[in-house]
Amino acid sequence: MSKSKARRKRDYVLRNTGRDVTSLRSTLPDFSIMERTTKTKKETLAKDQTKHKKRSPHERDIPLSRDRFYFNYPPI
């Protein structure tokens, strides 16, 4: 098998400077190793209840009108 470009560069640095760049690597990964899972039905419903200014699902279906809000305006 052929060597990768990165491997050739590492070998070149080791040959010329005597420094092993693989020893500079960290033991911890640079990315998150947390396993991601799909949300459960319960989590999805809980998220829906907190969206859209925390209105109830029934309230979202009511169109925005003057009757929906309380103002101190005189009646028309």
Side-chain angles (χ1 to χ4, degrees):
M1 254 177 121
S2 64
K3 291 183 181 179
S4 67
K5 198 175 207 180
R7 176 65 187 253
R8 277 186 253 141
K9 285 182 181 180
R10 285 195 302 270
D11 289 343
Y12 175 81
V13 170
L14 183 62
R15 242 187 352 261
N16 292 322
T17 63
R19 187 174 56 149
D20 187 14
V21 290
T22 56
S23 64
L24 301 175
R25 291 183 188 156
S26 174
T27 57
L28 299 175
D30 292 338
F31 53 89
S32 173
I33 55 172
M34 184 182 78
E35 186 176 333
R36 284 156 174 77
T37 57
T38 308
K39 288 184 181 177
T40 61
K41 185 176 180 181
K42 191 175 184 180
E43 289 171 337
T44 306
L45 291 173
K47 172 121 181 163
D48 286 343
Q49 289 174 356
T50 58
K51 287 180 72 173
H52 306 293
K53 298 184 181 178
K54 298 185 180 177
R55 295 185 203 133
S56 67
H58 305 292
E59 218 176 331
R60 280 188 231 144
D61 297 335
I62 302 171
L64 293 173
S65 65
R66 189 170 179 197
D67 299 334
R68 187 170 177 178
F69 302 102
Y70 176 72
F71 296 106
N72 288 328
Y73 295 130
I76 297 176

